[in-house]
Amino acid sequence: MPSGLENSTTLEVPATLIRKESGDRDRGVCIVCRGPLVQHVDSFYDTRFGIDGKYEVWRCSRCQLEQMFPVPAPAQLKSLYESHYNFGGEKGTLYTNLREWFFSSFLYRMWIRLDGDLSFHGRKGTGRLIDIGCNEGRGLQIYARNGFQVEGCELSETAAAEARDRGFIVHTHPVGEFTLSAPYDVAVLSNVLEHVPDPLQMLLDIRRILSPKGQLWISCPNSQSWLRNMFGRYWINWHVPFHISQFSPQTVTALMEQAGFTTIEIRQVTPALWVAMSIIAKVFAKKGQPTRQLRNPVLVVALLFLIRFAAFPVLWLQNMRGRGDGLLITASKA
Ligand SMILES: [Zn+2]
């Protein structure tokens, strides 16, 4: 059992450490270490889909992890994903057609070298790779082309069916329920860990399915991002109610060590797309209304090029300062 977990289930939260809001309801406990959530970061509304409601982000006093509180109940999360986040929700539009073309083009391979490879699409290699949260299987095609023997894991049946149509093996049950025929050499969690209600358990489950020298590749937003300061509650990576955790290099490293991973390396990136999305949210987002401009290909592409080519020294400098918008993390099982 990794250190720090032994007492987690029996820990009582000292009442004096629980902050009250205007004298009313108690705050919760951390989804990782069960420590008290004491520092209120801020309250947010959804700037992408126009989902109703105000969501709060708090920080754990013990492990410092920022997290949404309260976390929606599993049934509510499932319904939110099915209504707003499902691959089946958008298909065959100009935006999705252009996106499909772009991801299979030479231009994309050049772009990720320049902009940051959030999905590890530029890595070539061999061995068994599992893409956890593989969606409709676009990444699987790229990993397979790069030399890996690939499988996917996707809880959305609609998206999994699409990936299977492309010829891939896709598991639709959680990693914790896998019965292994053979361990995996690489597990990819591209923009997934921040969505997971129990990130430590997710990492423990992944470690179990990896081969002795297996690798884990993670990407997620950086809670110390310069864009978070610049855009405040319009920062696109708050992404309530879907982003449950907000990781910093320190909190994600601690979590991975707790799950037993070693050789943890972190690089910082600021993808132009994320900058563009924060700008669009800042200009157009209105509470309770979907921000349709996030799906406007002309606007998005114009901003992408403007940001990448006019603002590249700023993006580079912020990455160097440890204030990039995204984290690329690689680690080994042993
Ligand atoms: Zn904690």
Side-chain angles (χ1 to χ4, degrees):
M1 179 78 75
S3 62
L5 284 177
E6 297 87 335
N7 300 322
S8 63
T9 52
T10 55
L11 190 84
E12 290 294 325
V13 180
T16 50
L17 286 180
I18 300 175
R19 171 171 160 168
K20 311 264 174 130
E21 191 176 24
S22 310
D24 52 25
R25 64 197 169 102
D26 289 348
R27 308 318 310 181
V29 294
C30 175
I31 56 175
V32 169
C33 75
R34 312 297 295 164
L37 303 184
V38 289
Q39 190 178 351
H40 188 188
V41 177
D42 210 336
S43 302
F44 305 93
Y45 63 85
D46 169 33
T47 55
R48 300 194 192 194
F49 306 112
I51 296 168
D52 262 347
K54 208 167 91 175
Y55 299 86
E56 297 183 349
V57 173
W58 286 69
R59 182 181 288 115
C60 171
S61 70
R62 187 179 300 155
C63 74
Q64 306 302 315
L65 180 68
E66 290 181 356
Q67 55 212 265
M68 191 168 62
F69 179 82
V71 176
Q76 195 188 353
L77 270 180
K78 188 168 186 291
S79 149
L80 284 166
Y81 275 98
E82 280 169 3
S83 314
H84 300 285
Y85 219 90
N86 203 322
F87 165 75
E90 192 181 354
K91 197 176 177 183
T93 63
L94 176 62
Y95 181 84
T96 57
N97 289 343
L98 278 174
R99 197 175 58 180
E100 285 297 307
W101 166 81
F102 177 64
F103 282 118
S104 59
S105 70
F106 173 73
L107 195 62
Y108 177 62
R109 293 196 287 280
M110 295 297 293
W111 180 264
I112 56 177
R113 286 178 76 97
L114 202 64
D115 195 51
D117 188 7
L118 271 178
S119 300
F120 306 97
H121 286 167
R123 291 183 166 227
K124 295 194 188 311
T126 54
R128 280 166 55 76
L129 178 149
I130 182 148
D131 183 12
I132 298 162
C134 71
N135 215 319
E136 76 276 19
R138 187 199 314 134
L140 294 176
Q141 286 181 313
I142 297 173
Y143 303 128
R145 209 161 52 213
N146 288 349
F148 295 100
Q149 191 187 331
V150 302
E151 288 179 20
C153 174
E154 174 53 60
L155 301 185
S156 156
E157 289 287 349
T158 322
E162 191 73 22
R164 287 184 186 126
D165 283 349
R166 298 182 190 219
F168 298 109
I169 295 171
V170 180
H171 307 269
T172 48
H173 45 270
V175 179
E177 295 171 18
F178 273 34
T179 39
L180 277 182
S181 51
Y184 298 96
D185 302 297
V186 179
V188 181
L189 273 182
S190 172
N191 296 313
V192 169
L193 194 62
E194 65 275 21
H195 291 253
V196 173
D198 189 341
L200 177 59
Q201 189 59 53
M202 168 65 99
L203 294 183
L204 290 167
D205 291 340
I206 290 173
R207 195 167 180 278
R208 184 182 67 84
I209 63 168
L210 284 174
S211 62
K213 291 191 174 175
Q215 293 271 310
L216 172 57
W217 304 344
I218 295 178
S219 62
C220 63
N222 178 11
S223 68
Q224 297 177 344
S225 165
W226 63 293
L227 295 168
R228 172 168 140 162
N229 289 353
M230 178 181 276
F231 290 99
R233 59 188 54 201
Y234 296 100
W235 181 48
I236 204 68
N237 281 316
W238 290 118
H239 197 15
V240 289
F242 298 101
H243 282 185
I244 293 170
S245 303
Q246 292 289 345
F247 295 105
S248 67
Q250 293 77 19
T251 55
V252 80
T253 300
L255 189 72
M256 294 182 77
E257 286 174 348
Q258 213 175 341
F261 286 94
T262 61
T263 333
I264 301 162
E265 290 177 12
I266 301 185
R267 286 187 50 232
Q268 304 222 352
V269 290
T270 300
L273 179 63
W274 288 4
V275 186
M277 289 172 80
S278 285
I279 293 171
I280 293 171
K282 173 82 177 165
V283 174
F284 296 105
K286 288 194 175 60
K287 192 172 189 303
Q289 290 178 25
T291 308
R292 299 191 196 286
Q293 291 82 357
L294 289 167
R295 287 284 182 272
N296 179 327
V298 177
L299 178 61
V300 171
V301 170
L303 279 172
L304 279 184
F305 279 90
L306 187 69
I307 293 157
R308 177 42 59 200
F309 296 108
F312 71 91
V314 180
L315 308 190
W316 177 83
L317 189 67
Q318 298 293 3
N319 295 341
M320 292 299 108
R321 289 178 65 222
R323 307 287 302 281
D325 207 28
L327 304 174
L328 300 180
I329 307 142
T330 58
S332 303
K333 177 167 173 173

Short mmCIF file of all heavy atoms in Angstrom, two decimals, residues 36-81:
data_model
loop_
_atom_site.label_atom_id
_atom_site.label_comp_id
_atom_site.label_asym_id
_atom_site.label_seq_id
_atom_site.Cartn_x
_atom_site.Cartn_y
_atom_site.Cartn_z
N PRO A 36 -9.24 17.95 5.01
CA PRO A 36 -10.32 18.94 4.88
C PRO A 36 -10.08 19.91 3.74
O PRO A 36 -8.95 20.33 3.49
CB PRO A 36 -10.30 19.66 6.23
CG PRO A 36 -8.92 19.48 6.74
CD PRO A 36 -8.41 18.18 6.19
N LEU A 37 -11.16 20.29 3.06
CA LEU A 37 -11.07 21.33 2.05
C LEU A 37 -11.26 22.65 2.77
O LEU A 37 -12.31 22.89 3.36
CB LEU A 37 -12.16 21.16 0.99
CG LEU A 37 -12.18 19.81 0.27
CD1 LEU A 37 -13.27 19.84 -0.81
CD2 LEU A 37 -10.84 19.50 -0.35
N VAL A 38 -10.22 23.48 2.77
CA VAL A 38 -10.32 24.68 3.59
C VAL A 38 -10.28 25.98 2.83
O VAL A 38 -10.73 26.99 3.32
CB VAL A 38 -9.22 24.73 4.67
CG1 VAL A 38 -9.49 23.69 5.74
CG2 VAL A 38 -7.86 24.57 4.06
N GLN A 39 -9.68 25.96 1.66
CA GLN A 39 -9.54 27.26 1.00
C GLN A 39 -10.40 27.33 -0.25
O GLN A 39 -10.21 26.58 -1.21
CB GLN A 39 -8.08 27.52 0.64
CG GLN A 39 -7.88 28.95 0.19
CD GLN A 39 -6.43 29.24 -0.13
OE1 GLN A 39 -5.55 28.42 0.13
NE2 GLN A 39 -6.18 30.38 -0.72
N HIS A 40 -11.33 28.24 -0.21
CA HIS A 40 -12.24 28.41 -1.34
C HIS A 40 -11.51 29.14 -2.46
O HIS A 40 -11.09 30.28 -2.28
CB HIS A 40 -13.45 29.24 -0.85
CG HIS A 40 -14.53 29.32 -1.86
ND1 HIS A 40 -15.62 30.13 -1.71
CD2 HIS A 40 -14.71 28.69 -3.03
CE1 HIS A 40 -16.42 30.00 -2.74
NE2 HIS A 40 -15.89 29.14 -3.56
N VAL A 41 -11.33 28.49 -3.60
CA VAL A 41 -10.63 29.14 -4.71
C VAL A 41 -11.57 30.14 -5.38
O VAL A 41 -11.27 31.31 -5.50
CB VAL A 41 -10.11 28.09 -5.72
CG1 VAL A 41 -9.45 28.76 -6.91
CG2 VAL A 41 -9.14 27.14 -5.04
N ASP A 42 -12.74 29.65 -5.82
CA ASP A 42 -13.73 30.56 -6.42
C ASP A 42 -14.96 29.75 -6.85
O ASP A 42 -14.96 28.53 -6.78
CB ASP A 42 -13.15 31.28 -7.64
CG ASP A 42 -13.77 32.68 -7.83
OD1 ASP A 42 -14.89 32.89 -7.35
OD2 ASP A 42 -13.14 33.53 -8.45
N SER A 43 -15.96 30.46 -7.32
CA SER A 43 -17.16 29.80 -7.86
C SER A 43 -17.21 30.06 -9.37
O SER A 43 -16.84 31.15 -9.82
CB SER A 43 -18.41 30.39 -7.22
OG SER A 43 -18.34 30.23 -5.83
N PHE A 44 -17.70 29.08 -10.10
CA PHE A 44 -17.65 29.16 -11.56
C PHE A 44 -18.96 28.67 -12.16
O PHE A 44 -19.67 27.89 -11.55
CB PHE A 44 -16.52 28.27 -12.10
CG PHE A 44 -15.19 28.60 -11.50
CD1 PHE A 44 -14.75 27.91 -10.38
CD2 PHE A 44 -14.41 29.61 -12.02
CE1 PHE A 44 -13.53 28.23 -9.80
CE2 PHE A 44 -13.20 29.93 -11.45
CZ PHE A 44 -12.76 29.25 -10.33
N TYR A 45 -19.22 29.14 -13.38
CA TYR A 45 -20.29 28.53 -14.17
C TYR A 45 -19.69 27.99 -15.46
O TYR A 45 -18.59 28.38 -15.86
CB TYR A 45 -21.45 29.51 -14.42
CG TYR A 45 -21.12 30.75 -15.22
CD1 TYR A 45 -21.14 30.71 -16.61
CD2 TYR A 45 -20.81 31.95 -14.59
CE1 TYR A 45 -20.84 31.84 -17.36
CE2 TYR A 45 -20.51 33.09 -15.34
CZ TYR A 45 -20.53 33.02 -16.72
OH TYR A 45 -20.24 34.13 -17.47
N ASP A 46 -20.41 27.07 -16.07
CA ASP A 46 -19.94 26.43 -17.29
C ASP A 46 -19.89 27.45 -18.43
O ASP A 46 -20.90 28.07 -18.74
CB ASP A 46 -20.88 25.27 -17.64
CG ASP A 46 -20.64 24.72 -19.02
OD1 ASP A 46 -19.48 24.72 -19.46
OD2 ASP A 46 -21.62 24.31 -19.67
N THR A 47 -18.72 27.61 -19.05
CA THR A 47 -18.58 28.58 -20.14
C THR A 47 -18.60 27.90 -21.52
O THR A 47 -18.38 28.57 -22.53
CB THR A 47 -17.26 29.37 -20.01
OG1 THR A 47 -16.18 28.44 -19.95
CG2 THR A 47 -17.26 30.25 -18.78
N ARG A 48 -18.81 26.58 -21.56
CA ARG A 48 -18.79 25.89 -22.86
C ARG A 48 -20.19 25.52 -23.33
O ARG A 48 -20.62 25.88 -24.41
CB ARG A 48 -17.95 24.61 -22.78
CG ARG A 48 -16.50 24.88 -22.39
CD ARG A 48 -15.66 23.66 -22.67
NE ARG A 48 -14.34 23.78 -22.04
CZ ARG A 48 -13.30 23.01 -22.33
NH1 ARG A 48 -13.43 22.04 -23.22
NH2 ARG A 48 -12.14 23.17 -21.72
N PHE A 49 -20.90 24.78 -22.47
CA PHE A 49 -22.18 24.22 -22.91
C PHE A 49 -23.39 24.98 -22.37
O PHE A 49 -24.52 24.69 -22.75
CB PHE A 49 -22.29 22.75 -22.48
CG PHE A 49 -21.14 21.90 -22.93
CD1 PHE A 49 -20.24 21.39 -22.01
CD2 PHE A 49 -20.93 21.62 -24.27
CE1 PHE A 49 -19.17 20.60 -22.41
CE2 PHE A 49 -19.86 20.84 -24.69
CZ PHE A 49 -18.98 20.33 -23.75
N GLY A 50 -23.14 25.90 -21.43
CA GLY A 50 -24.26 26.63 -20.83
C GLY A 50 -25.03 25.82 -19.81
O GLY A 50 -26.22 26.06 -19.60
N ILE A 51 -24.34 24.84 -19.19
CA ILE A 51 -25.01 24.03 -18.16
C ILE A 51 -25.34 24.93 -16.97
O ILE A 51 -24.52 25.73 -16.53
CB ILE A 51 -24.08 22.87 -17.71
CG1 ILE A 51 -23.83 21.93 -18.88
CG2 ILE A 51 -24.66 22.12 -16.52
CD1 ILE A 51 -22.72 20.93 -18.66
N ASP A 52 -26.56 24.75 -16.49
CA ASP A 52 -27.01 25.58 -15.36
C ASP A 52 -26.23 25.25 -14.09
O ASP A 52 -25.79 24.13 -13.91
CB ASP A 52 -28.50 25.28 -15.08
CG ASP A 52 -29.37 26.35 -15.72
OD1 ASP A 52 -28.81 27.38 -16.12
OD2 ASP A 52 -30.59 26.13 -15.83
N GLY A 53 -26.12 26.22 -13.22
CA GLY A 53 -25.55 25.95 -11.90
C GLY A 53 -24.22 26.65 -11.68
O GLY A 53 -23.53 27.03 -12.63
N LYS A 54 -23.92 26.80 -10.40
CA LYS A 54 -22.66 27.42 -9.99
C LYS A 54 -21.84 26.33 -9.31
O LYS A 54 -22.39 25.56 -8.52
CB LYS A 54 -22.98 28.55 -9.00
CG LYS A 54 -21.96 29.66 -9.01
CD LYS A 54 -22.48 30.87 -8.27
CE LYS A 54 -22.10 30.81 -6.80
NZ LYS A 54 -22.46 32.00 -6.04
N TYR A 55 -20.59 26.24 -9.66
CA TYR A 55 -19.75 25.17 -9.13
C TYR A 55 -18.57 25.79 -8.39
O TYR A 55 -17.98 26.77 -8.87
CB TYR A 55 -19.26 24.26 -10.25
CG TYR A 55 -20.40 23.60 -10.99
CD1 TYR A 55 -21.03 24.26 -12.06
CD2 TYR A 55 -20.88 22.36 -10.60
CE1 TYR A 55 -22.09 23.67 -12.72
CE2 TYR A 55 -21.94 21.77 -11.26
CZ TYR A 55 -22.55 22.43 -12.32
OH TYR A 55 -23.59 21.85 -12.97
N GLU A 56 -18.18 25.18 -7.27
CA GLU A 56 -17.10 25.74 -6.47
C GLU A 56 -15.84 24.89 -6.59
O GLU A 56 -15.92 23.67 -6.73
CB GLU A 56 -17.53 25.80 -5.00
CG GLU A 56 -18.71 26.73 -4.81
CD GLU A 56 -19.10 26.86 -3.34
OE1 GLU A 56 -18.59 26.10 -2.50
OE2 GLU A 56 -19.92 27.75 -3.06
N VAL A 57 -14.69 25.56 -6.52
CA VAL A 57 -13.41 24.85 -6.47
C VAL A 57 -12.76 25.20 -5.13
O VAL A 57 -12.68 26.37 -4.75
CB VAL A 57 -12.50 25.23 -7.65
CG1 VAL A 57 -11.11 24.62 -7.49
CG2 VAL A 57 -13.12 24.77 -8.97
N TRP A 58 -12.34 24.14 -4.42
CA TRP A 58 -11.71 24.28 -3.11
C TRP A 58 -10.33 23.62 -3.12
O TRP A 58 -10.03 22.83 -4.01
CB TRP A 58 -12.59 23.62 -2.03
CG TRP A 58 -13.81 24.42 -1.70
CD1 TRP A 58 -14.89 24.63 -2.51
CD2 TRP A 58 -14.06 25.14 -0.49
NE1 TRP A 58 -15.81 25.43 -1.87
CE2 TRP A 58 -15.33 25.75 -0.62
CE3 TRP A 58 -13.36 25.31 0.70
CZ2 TRP A 58 -15.89 26.53 0.38
CZ3 TRP A 58 -13.91 26.08 1.71
CH2 TRP A 58 -15.17 26.69 1.54
N ARG A 59 -9.53 23.96 -2.13
CA ARG A 59 -8.19 23.37 -2.02
C ARG A 59 -8.08 22.56 -0.72
O ARG A 59 -8.57 22.99 0.32
CB ARG A 59 -7.12 24.48 -2.03
CG ARG A 59 -5.70 23.96 -1.96
CD ARG A 59 -4.67 25.08 -1.95
NE ARG A 59 -4.56 25.72 -3.24
CZ ARG A 59 -4.87 26.99 -3.50
NH1 ARG A 59 -5.30 27.76 -2.53
NH2 ARG A 59 -4.73 27.49 -4.71
N CYS A 60 -7.42 21.40 -0.84
CA CYS A 60 -7.22 20.54 0.33
C CYS A 60 -6.09 21.12 1.18
O CYS A 60 -5.03 21.47 0.65
CB CYS A 60 -6.87 19.13 -0.12
SG CYS A 60 -6.35 18.06 1.23
N SER A 61 -6.29 21.19 2.50
CA SER A 61 -5.25 21.77 3.37
C SER A 61 -4.09 20.81 3.54
O SER A 61 -3.00 21.21 3.91
CB SER A 61 -5.83 22.11 4.73
OG SER A 61 -6.11 20.92 5.42
N ARG A 62 -4.32 19.54 3.27
CA ARG A 62 -3.25 18.57 3.52
C ARG A 62 -2.40 18.31 2.27
O ARG A 62 -1.20 18.45 2.29
CB ARG A 62 -3.85 17.26 4.02
CG ARG A 62 -2.79 16.27 4.46
CD ARG A 62 -3.39 14.99 4.98
NE ARG A 62 -4.24 15.25 6.11
CZ ARG A 62 -5.24 14.45 6.49
NH1 ARG A 62 -5.51 13.37 5.80
NH2 ARG A 62 -5.97 14.73 7.54
N CYS A 63 -3.05 17.95 1.14
CA CYS A 63 -2.26 17.61 -0.06
C CYS A 63 -2.26 18.74 -1.09
O CYS A 63 -1.61 18.64 -2.11
CB CYS A 63 -2.75 16.30 -0.68
SG CYS A 63 -4.31 16.44 -1.57
N GLN A 64 -2.99 19.80 -0.81
CA GLN A 64 -3.05 21.01 -1.65
C GLN A 64 -3.78 20.83 -2.97
O GLN A 64 -3.82 21.75 -3.79
CB GLN A 64 -1.62 21.56 -1.93
CG GLN A 64 -0.78 21.83 -0.70
CD GLN A 64 -1.45 22.82 0.25
OE1 GLN A 64 -1.97 23.84 -0.18
NE2 GLN A 64 -1.50 22.50 1.53
N LEU A 65 -4.35 19.65 -3.21
CA LEU A 65 -5.06 19.44 -4.48
C LEU A 65 -6.30 20.32 -4.54
O LEU A 65 -7.10 20.34 -3.60
CB LEU A 65 -5.46 17.97 -4.63
CG LEU A 65 -6.22 17.64 -5.92
CD1 LEU A 65 -5.31 17.79 -7.14
CD2 LEU A 65 -6.80 16.24 -5.88
N GLU A 66 -6.47 21.01 -5.65
CA GLU A 66 -7.69 21.79 -5.88
C GLU A 66 -8.72 20.87 -6.51
O GLU A 66 -8.39 20.08 -7.40
CB GLU A 66 -7.40 22.95 -6.82
CG GLU A 66 -6.54 24.01 -6.18
CD GLU A 66 -6.29 25.18 -7.12
OE1 GLU A 66 -6.73 25.12 -8.29
OE2 GLU A 66 -5.64 26.12 -6.69
N GLN A 67 -9.94 21.02 -6.07
CA GLN A 67 -10.98 20.12 -6.57
C GLN A 67 -12.35 20.78 -6.50
O GLN A 67 -12.58 21.64 -5.66
CB GLN A 67 -10.98 18.82 -5.77
CG GLN A 67 -11.14 19.03 -4.30
CD GLN A 67 -10.41 17.96 -3.48
OE1 GLN A 67 -11.01 16.98 -3.09
NE2 GLN A 67 -9.13 18.14 -3.25
N MET A 68 -13.20 20.34 -7.40
CA MET A 68 -14.56 20.84 -7.40
C MET A 68 -15.29 20.27 -6.18
O MET A 68 -15.09 19.11 -5.81
CB MET A 68 -15.26 20.39 -8.68
CG MET A 68 -16.58 21.06 -8.91
SD MET A 68 -17.14 20.74 -10.58
CE MET A 68 -17.30 18.97 -10.57
N PHE A 69 -16.09 21.11 -5.54
CA PHE A 69 -16.88 20.62 -4.41
C PHE A 69 -18.26 21.26 -4.45
O PHE A 69 -18.35 22.49 -4.61
CB PHE A 69 -16.20 20.93 -3.08
CG PHE A 69 -17.02 20.44 -1.93
CD1 PHE A 69 -16.96 19.12 -1.55
CD2 PHE A 69 -17.89 21.29 -1.27
CE1 PHE A 69 -17.76 18.64 -0.52
CE2 PHE A 69 -18.70 20.82 -0.24
CZ PHE A 69 -18.62 19.50 0.15
N PRO A 70 -19.31 20.52 -4.29
CA PRO A 70 -19.30 19.06 -4.21
C PRO A 70 -19.15 18.43 -5.60
O PRO A 70 -19.48 19.06 -6.60
CB PRO A 70 -20.69 18.74 -3.63
CG PRO A 70 -21.56 19.87 -4.06
CD PRO A 70 -20.69 21.08 -4.14
N VAL A 71 -18.62 17.19 -5.63
CA VAL A 71 -18.54 16.45 -6.89
C VAL A 71 -19.95 15.93 -7.19
O VAL A 71 -20.60 15.36 -6.31
CB VAL A 71 -17.57 15.26 -6.76
CG1 VAL A 71 -17.55 14.43 -8.03
CG2 VAL A 71 -16.17 15.76 -6.44
N PRO A 72 -20.46 16.16 -8.41
CA PRO A 72 -21.80 15.65 -8.73
C PRO A 72 -21.88 14.13 -8.51
O PRO A 72 -20.88 13.43 -8.65
CB PRO A 72 -21.95 15.98 -10.22
CG PRO A 72 -20.99 17.10 -10.47
CD PRO A 72 -19.84 16.88 -9.54
N ALA A 73 -23.05 13.67 -8.14
CA ALA A 73 -23.26 12.23 -7.93
C ALA A 73 -23.01 11.49 -9.24
O ALA A 73 -23.18 12.06 -10.32
CB ALA A 73 -24.69 11.99 -7.46
N PRO A 74 -22.58 10.19 -9.16
CA PRO A 74 -22.27 9.43 -10.38
C PRO A 74 -23.38 9.48 -11.44
O PRO A 74 -23.10 9.66 -12.62
CB PRO A 74 -22.04 8.01 -9.87
CG PRO A 74 -21.60 8.19 -8.45
CD PRO A 74 -22.31 9.41 -7.94
N ALA A 75 -24.63 9.35 -11.00
CA ALA A 75 -25.74 9.34 -11.98
C ALA A 75 -25.84 10.70 -12.67
O ALA A 75 -26.10 10.78 -13.88
CB ALA A 75 -27.05 9.00 -11.28
N GLN A 76 -25.61 11.76 -11.90
CA GLN A 76 -25.70 13.11 -12.47
C GLN A 76 -24.54 13.34 -13.46
O GLN A 76 -24.74 13.90 -14.54
CB GLN A 76 -25.64 14.13 -11.33
CG GLN A 76 -26.08 15.53 -11.75
CD GLN A 76 -25.83 16.55 -10.65
OE1 GLN A 76 -25.45 16.21 -9.52
NE2 GLN A 76 -26.04 17.81 -10.98
N LEU A 77 -23.34 12.87 -13.07
CA LEU A 77 -22.18 13.00 -13.98
C LEU A 77 -22.44 12.26 -15.28
O LEU A 77 -22.17 12.77 -16.37
CB LEU A 77 -20.93 12.41 -13.32
CG LEU A 77 -20.07 13.36 -12.47
CD1 LEU A 77 -18.87 12.61 -11.91
CD2 LEU A 77 -19.59 14.57 -13.28
N LYS A 78 -22.97 11.04 -15.16
CA LYS A 78 -23.24 10.22 -16.34
C LYS A 78 -24.21 10.96 -17.27
O LYS A 78 -23.98 11.05 -18.48
CB LYS A 78 -23.85 8.89 -15.89
CG LYS A 78 -24.01 7.86 -16.99
CD LYS A 78 -24.34 6.50 -16.38
CE LYS A 78 -24.36 5.39 -17.42
NZ LYS A 78 -25.47 5.48 -18.36
N SER A 79 -25.23 11.54 -16.67
CA SER A 79 -26.22 12.25 -17.47
C SER A 79 -25.62 13.50 -18.12
O SER A 79 -25.89 13.81 -19.29
CB SER A 79 -27.42 12.57 -16.57
OG SER A 79 -28.04 13.74 -16.96
N LEU A 80 -24.74 14.20 -17.37
CA LEU A 80 -24.08 15.39 -17.94
C LEU A 80 -23.20 15.00 -19.13
O LEU A 80 -23.19 15.67 -20.17
CB LEU A 80 -23.22 16.07 -16.87
CG LEU A 80 -23.96 16.90 -15.83
CD1 LEU A 80 -23.06 17.24 -14.65
CD2 LEU A 80 -24.49 18.19 -16.47
N TYR A 81 -22.46 13.90 -18.99
CA TYR A 81 -21.60 13.46 -20.10
C TYR A 81 -22.44 13.06 -21.31
O TYR A 81 -22.10 13.38 -22.44
CB TYR A 81 -20.70 12.30 -19.66
CG TYR A 81 -19.43 12.77 -18.99
CD1 TYR A 81 -19.32 12.82 -17.62
CD2 TYR A 81 -18.34 13.20 -19.75
CE1 TYR A 81 -18.16 13.28 -17.00
CE2 TYR A 81 -17.18 13.66 -19.15
CZ TYR A 81 -17.10 13.70 -17.77
OH TYR A 81 -15.96 14.15 -17.18
#
